[in-house]
Amino acid sequence: MIWILDLMILILVVVCALVAINVKDLLSATIIFGVYSFAMCLLWAEMGAVDVAFTEATVGAGISTILFVAAILHTSRRSKD
Amino acid sequence: MRLLQDQTAGQKLGESLIIQTAVRMLVPFIQLFGLYVIVHGHYSPGGGFQGGVILGASFVLLTLAFDQKFALKYMSEKANNMLSNAGALLFTGTATLCAICYGGMFLDYSALDKLLPLGPIAWRSFGIFVIEVGVGLAVMSISASLFWLLGSNGEMDEGL
Amino acid sequence: MSYQTSIWPLAAVLISLIGSIPIMLSDRNPNLRESWTILIALGKVVIVASLLPTVLAGGGFEFTIVEVIPGVPLALRVDAMGMFFALVASILWFFTSVYSIGYMRALNEHAQTRYYASFAVAISATLGVAFSANLLTLYLFYEMLSLSTYPLVTHHQDAEARQSGRKYLTYILGTSIGLALPAMLIVYSLAGTLDFKIGGILSGTGASSQTLALVLVLFLFGFAKSGLMPFHGWLPAAMVAPTPVSSFLHGVAVVKVGVFSILRVIFHIFGPEQLLAVNLGWVITTLASITILVASLIALTQDNLKRRLAYSTIGQLSYMILGAGMLTAVGMTGGLLHIAMHAFGKITLFFCAGAIFVASGKKYISQMDGLGRRMPITYLAFMFGSISIIGMPPLGGFISKWNLVLGAVSSDQMILLVVLLTSTLLNAAYFLPIVYRGFFAESSDPVFDEGIKEAPLFCLIPLSVTACASLALFFYPDIFLRLARLALFP
Amino acid sequence: MKVLALFATLMTGAILLYGTMDFPAFGDPQSPAATHLATYFTENAVRETHVPNLVTAVLGDYRGYDTMFETVVIYCAGLAVVSVLRKKKPSAPENKS
Amino acid sequence: MDQIAALIIAKYNYWIYVTLMMIGFYAMIGKRNLVKKLIGLNIFQTAIILMFVSAGVKKGAKIPILDKHHVMEHGVNVADIVNPVPHVLMLTAIVVAVSVTGVALAILLRIYREYGTLEEDEILEKLGQ
Amino acid sequence: MSTSNLHVYVMAAPLLTAFFVNLVGRVSKAWIAPLTLGCLAFSSAASIIVLGRVMAYGGFSYTVGNWQAPYGIELVVDHLSAVMLVLISVVAFIATMSALKSTSQELPDQEYLFFTLYLILIAGLLGLVLTADAFNLYVLLEITSITTYGLIAMGKGRAPLASFNYIIMGSIGASFYLLGVGYLYLMTGSLNMADIAQILPTIGGGAAIATALAFMLVGLWVKMAFFPLHGWLPNAYSLAPTGAAILVAPLMTKVTIYLMVRVMFTIFSVDLLFLQNPAVQNGIVWAAALAIICASSLALAQRDLKRMLTYIIVAEVGYMVGGVWLANSTGMTGAILHIVNDALMTLCLFLAIAAILYRLGSVEFDSLQGIYRKMPITMAAFTVGAFAMIGIPPTAGFFSKWYLLLGGIEAGQWGYVVALLFSSLVNAVLFFRIIEIGYFHKDGEHHGHEKLAEAPLSMQIPLLISATALIVIGLGSGPLVEKIIKLALPVGF
């Protein structure tokens, strides 16, 4: 565990989260949320939680994002806030 | 091959022969990897849940590259439902079976030793394997069906 | 005093409750339905009367149904005080049943099955209150009575009846849940029991006099059926009900259940000695005096006969509370006796009002000039009732009022004497003109009045009987007097 | 509305931060979390279940009850989505139930 | 200064998790767009997972996959292995989160079918009509 | 420690049957009813036997998978959880009889889906009652929530929107609870409730423990719709399919209150909760009083029977939370008794609503005119339920209210006492308004009632059972309290 790397990823994660909830285009938000998940998964892998990281990679960054995309493509990409 | 031509004849935006062929080749490997993740959960990261998601992802990939009807040929809605039930039943059923066995408790795999004497600890290991398979089945079918339903807005036809 | 366990008190209470089922089932056949009603009423009188000798001999009965709260069972107990009230209620119910048949048939009222069934449930609840062994049981039957009389008040189902029903429930349920229930809870948390006990259960609990005063006031207003002002508004409103309902329930059962509950609380929860000791009698007497005077004054101004009777009732009810509040032996006896005397007098008056309405369709006093010559029996009975209520000999009301006056004297509260005398004058002022105008004034509408005859026999007989009973009670008040004495000095 | 939400968020965050004051230091091998249950699992899980992956052992056996309900959760999710979203086509014989 | 640095190193993970939780929570209750609310929900969930996983970390420890035979014969030094319990819990939590997300998205599609929008205020406006 | 598995079967029977309902039910509808009713009958019988055993031999703990308590997951069967098991399984059994009918009318194509979710929800509730593991509780909480989301979203019209709101609020609640569990885990390293309770005194309070308690409580309060956090409930329950509402409305909030009791008294000690923080305790009782008053007032504003009832449910939550936090044994007895009674009262009223909806299709006040004439038995049972809600003896509602009020007086919490009385009065107004509309409005004022008939027998029977139960439990509340509830009080009372 390298705490500087850890901290950098953490900051990336926070930035991604902020962007994901603030960007007006929902599709972008979703993709950024995917990035967020992936960064999280990196973080956990680096913390020694391999199983959690694996799951987050398949679920959070994979299935979850895909479900979001599928839903957004059937509704609207626009968001007022 | 004929199917492929049909597909390309009614080609929509984003469907390309290269991708479709690549996906066709890739899908068995993905599924194999998914199975590996489930089975090898005892020794490496992974297990029923992760493997199940990977298996489900293979169907998602098929749907994305072709369309939903094509993917449904591999696993129909009915089969999907059966599999999810089977997976969940495998887990809960095993758990209850342990309780039914004389002197056993709920989810106490070592109690299954009375059915087939392999040794209590071996049964624990094997029991974990059985339930991982159950989880895998359920997760695979449901992650696929979640995507299909959301992707086709509940119509189960063309998909995205 | 020893109580023997017996199922009969329960039978006395339940006979009419269970009897409401055959009444409901014989919806299609009015004759059968009314036969049931009479039969049940008769059965009830017989059961209650059969319990009487033991009670007069100083005994009593007890029956525990089930223990619902630790230390507080649902239990029935027949003691002298309960017997006193039960006797009045069951006898008068019998007459009211007969009267109802005449009245309801003559006016061809709707939903008669509901009427008779509710009536049967109501009388069950009344007897339940009379025979309650503790405050919780009393409360249960008290609420049952409120609910079962609601359909009777709303009987006509028009906008006015619904409005009155709403008012009735608001007052009765509101006070019983909002005031009586917390009072009961405070008593329970102080004493750990709710059992009625001679001498009271609150003595010796070390409750402060402020707490006692609070509980007392909560109870006085909580049992709003007693019509104590300012929670009296429901009673005039409830007069939209058919007259038998007004006469029995709002002349006898419902209102006296309120008074009876208050007397129970004063005698058996607080105990007169304790009230004397902490000097709380004045709370009761003041509230009662105000109600007596104000209600009598309002009664003077009413033109609707039933409303005038209603305000008269409010005033008379407070006599009983006043008697109890004097906390002297004679006064309390007077208060208790007044339950019976007023019941017989007031029910006669209501029967007469109903008979007049059945015969002539008239509700207002100003239209009743000269009617007495057309309906002499009714008016004679009305006169008897009035005199009894005013408290003149030779009618029953005199005995109770005499006791009350003696009580006022013996408690050294001359102001109460003044209240009693003033209100007697007021009573005379609002009753006697009716009788006078009935017999001696010229009819205002002779053509219309030409065809008026006496009401049907079913109406006439009960009112004659109760009028005669009022008279008889002056000469033979023995049973009630003995019961009252037994209740107060066992 | 947004101000209220922001206020609620800040409050929650502040309380949570207040709670972290007592936490053992990050990565401390002597923290309670690392010593109580974890010790038992690390020492005994492999021997008792013959599964070298501790996570799988604990997930599948020691806390199998959790995992069972986890499977049921996702099963329910699948069903819920079907029941909420699936459009019925009256012609399709397969959908007749 | 060293103390502050030590404090930062000791607690920064928890601070970050609180920050993420606040972001998610704010999105859930403050945003008007339903999809945004859902993204907020997911961020909230991952924040909790981060907290749990952080709880399991041991400095310099290895991943919780052991060598079977080695362990059977020689036992294991607990301090060398990352705490597996939070990982187990969090696997379950992730599954729960994705299940909830799935159901919520399905319901979102239904809402869109009905109202044609995913903005809370616009939906309320339509309901008001 | 016990090796008897019966209480697990109580939970496992509906769970396993759910899968079969899904498999078989999609082929033939005829199988759904016997399967569902059969497994719930089994659960009810088994839970009654479990209660009998607990009363005879005392409570016991059970370890799933035969792993010792803090390592494996522990189930606890004591008096309280046995009572809850019986309550849930019996209420579910009664509700199902009616739900089968209304579902076949409302959701003819989705019956098998509906009942699969329905059974899993019941299994989840039963599991919640049994578990003694803080994290397992979270998972089960999510199971009940996710099935409820699905069930509610199957409703018509605005139901999906209500369901989405519920998802957001429910997830916040569950996440807060999980945060609390996380804090406790970080501080103690354990997840077993009893084990945490043993370790906590060695830590002796502090910021993290207080935060954990606060977050667990707030999380559960969101789930149980404690007043300012109740926003999701009225819409969700009133828009859900009728079959779901008659199961969810009586059980969901009550089970969550049970969980609050469990969490508060199994994990934290009475000393920590009440004695060290009298101001907090006081404040929560006042909040409960406020909740009761506000929710009752909101109920007054409703013009739809179902919505009105949902606000009453919110008010009742205030009753029980207040009762638990009164911190005396009378209040606690009242709260636990009220869990039982309120479940039955709500069941009775919702069953009546289901019957009315089945025939009439609407429970708006205006459409109820003259309903007593057409559906006398349904409305008679409704009236009994209404009396219980108001708290008129001898119905069950009076007696639990009695204990709650008595507890309030003993604790000197006059605000709470006044709030309870106020709410009883409001309930009286609410229900007599309906009785007046349904009974005393003249016939013929409303059209469309010509063909209205009494509900089918399969809806009347559960209704009559529940109405009778209200009176029987009311009359039997003495023995019930003495023999069971007193023993079910948490340690420290």
Side-chain angles (χ1 to χ4, degrees), chain C residues 396-414:
Chain C
F398 172 74
I399 294 180
S400 51
K401 275 217 176 149
W402 180 246
N403 276 304
L404 286 174
V405 169
L406 286 180
V409 173
S410 68
S411 71
D412 284 340
Q413 286 172 291
M414 285 310 136

Side-chain angles (χ1 to χ4, degrees), chain C residues 56-208:
Chain C
L56 280 178
F61 300 93
E62 227 176 8
F63 186 76
T64 304
I65 303 166
V66 61
E67 179 150 341
V68 282
I69 291 169
V72 187
L74 281 186
L76 298 176
R77 183 187 297 156
V78 184
D79 57 5
M81 191 168 161
M83 195 66 211
F84 182 94
F85 184 42
L87 203 58
V88 176
S90 57
I91 292 175
L92 289 181
W93 185 43
F94 176 70
F95 292 127
T96 314
S97 301
V98 179
Y99 181 81
S100 291
I101 296 168
Y103 182 89
M104 299 299 273
R105 287 199 173 181
L107 291 179
N108 205 8
E109 286 277 355
H110 74 131
Q112 289 197 22
T113 305
R114 184 180 77 203
Y115 170 86
Y116 285 112
S118 307
F119 223 124
V121 177
I123 184 66
S124 257
T126 310
L127 274 201
V129 169
F131 288 161
S132 293
N134 56 43
L135 204 50
L136 183 76
T137 319
L138 188 144
Y139 183 81
L140 188 157
F141 285 112
Y142 184 94
E143 293 289 33
M144 190 166 136
L145 183 60
S146 320
L147 297 174
S148 58
T149 42
Y150 172 65
L152 295 172
V153 174
T154 325
H155 184 81
H156 291 301
Q157 297 192 350
D158 50 15
E160 193 200 351
R162 287 204 299 269
Q163 181 68 40
S164 305
R166 230 173 280 162
K167 199 167 180 180
Y168 174 74
L169 275 181
T170 313
Y171 274 92
I172 300 294
L173 273 185
T175 50
S176 67
I177 293 176
L179 303 174
L181 180 61
M184 200 157 82
L185 279 155
I186 296 174
V187 170
Y188 181 72
S189 67
L190 286 175
T193 174
L194 291 173
D195 215 26
F196 293 136
K197 207 178 87 190
I198 308 282
I201 54 172
L202 281 180
S203 47
T205 53
S208 68

Side-chain angles (χ1 to χ4, degrees), chain C residues 281-329:
Chain C
W282 66 271
V283 177
I284 308 168
T285 50
T286 313
L287 286 171
S289 305
I290 294 171
T291 308
I292 292 173
L293 294 176
V294 175
S296 303
L297 285 172
I298 297 176
L300 268 177
T301 67
Q302 299 295 320
D303 190 29
N304 184 325
L305 180 53
K306 277 172 74 177
R307 283 182 78 87
R308 183 175 287 194
L309 290 176
Y311 278 105
S312 158
T313 308
I314 295 171
Q316 298 294 326
L317 293 170
S318 285
Y319 274 73
M320 306 160 202
I321 300 170
L322 182 71
M326 287 172 188
L327 301 175
T328 60

Side-chain angles (χ1 to χ4, degrees), chain B residues 77-78 81-82 84-86 88-89 92-93 96 98-101 103-110 124, chain F residues 1-3 5 8-9 11-12 15-16 18-20 22-23 26 62-67 112-113 116:
Chain B
E77 223 186 328
K78 214 173 183 174
N81 192 286
M82 295 287 266
S84 64
N85 271 308
L89 253 180
T92 47
T96 315
C98 299
I100 290 171
C101 282
M105 300 178 103
F106 202 66
L107 271 170
D108 179 6
Y109 309 123
S110 56
R124 286 217 179 263
Chain F
M1 187 71 188
S2 159
T3 48
N5 287 316
V8 183
Y9 297 144
M11 186 276 301
L15 185 61
L16 282 169
F19 305 125
F20 288 107
N22 191 3
L23 282 171
R26 70 169 51 217
Y62 177 93
T63 47
V64 177
N66 210 359
W67 295 113
Y112 67 96
L113 291 169
T116 312

Side-chain angles (χ1 to χ4, degrees), chain F residues 443-461:
Chain F
D443 299 334
E445 283 175 25
H446 190 74
H447 299 288
H449 277 198
E450 290 78 16
K451 280 181 283 178
L452 196 61
E454 188 54 87
L457 206 60
S458 59
M459 300 183 96
Q460 271 181 43
I461 290 170

Side-chain angles (χ1 to χ4, degrees), chain C residues 99-100 102-104 106-107 242-244 247 305-306 309 347-363 368 371 374-382 452-464:
Chain C
Y99 181 81
S100 291
Y103 182 89
M104 299 299 273
L107 291 179
T243 306
S247 59
L305 180 53
K306 277 172 74 177
L309 290 176
I347 205 168
T348 313
L349 292 175
F350 270 113
F351 280 169
C352 293
I356 293 169
F357 180 66
V358 169
S360 67
K362 288 179 177 177
K363 286 182 183 171
M368 292 177 186
L371 217 54
R374 306 269 168 206
M375 316 173 61
I377 301 176
T378 312
Y379 263 74
L380 208 59
F382 193 92
I452 296 175
K453 295 198 295 280
E454 281 287 3
L457 220 54
F458 266 119
C459 294
L460 217 50
I461 291 172
L463 67 88
S464 317

